[in-house]
Amino acid sequence: MTPSHLEMQILAALEPGPLHGHSLVQAAQRHSPATLLSEGFYYEAIYSSELRGWVHSSRRRQGGCRPRLYRLTAKGLRRLRLARRAASRTRAAGRLL
């Protein structure tokens, strides 16, 4: 299964460090402002990334609630770097044409 653009946005947004769900969605939206979608699409990409082992979530008590904290896994970081290399090669090939 090929990773989606949204999944790569999620991984890139988590690269600096762990984030809670809403903050993660906002950070992912900043990575590609031309692709503003409803939050549901981003949460689906977060869930899919978690199933692939690229993202790990945990719950931490904050006051009366337990929001999820998402972090990039080593596998997710490898996938993000691979996607960036592929995109770089594609851009380089496009400049040759």
Side-chain angles (χ1 to χ4, degrees):
M1 184 182 271
T2 305
S4 73
H5 180 71
L6 281 179
E7 287 170 324
M8 292 301 104
Q9 284 179 257
I10 296 300
L11 300 184
L14 285 172
E15 190 175 19
L19 292 168
H20 290 102
H22 184 69
S23 298
L24 175 53
V25 169
Q26 290 178 327
Q29 288 172 335
R30 283 192 299 273
H31 277 273
S32 187
T35 314
L36 289 180
L37 303 168
S38 73
E39 285 192 16
F41 286 101
Y42 289 93
Y43 280 103
E44 188 64 36
I46 293 168
Y47 178 70
S48 174
S49 297
E50 194 168 12
L51 287 177
R52 293 172 185 242
W54 299 339
V55 172
H56 175 75
S57 69
S58 59
R59 290 193 178 265
R60 299 238 171 99
R61 184 163 299 282
Q62 278 189 334
C65 63
R66 292 180 47 193
R68 276 192 193 275
L69 183 67
Y70 296 92
R71 69 172 178 79
L72 187 63
T73 64
K75 184 177 179 181
L77 182 58
R78 283 191 305 274
R79 184 62 189 100
L80 179 60
R81 288 177 178 163
L82 179 68
R84 284 180 174 157
R85 280 195 302 273
S88 179
R89 284 192 302 273
T90 301
R91 283 191 299 273
R95 287 191 295 266
L96 294 175
L97 299 177

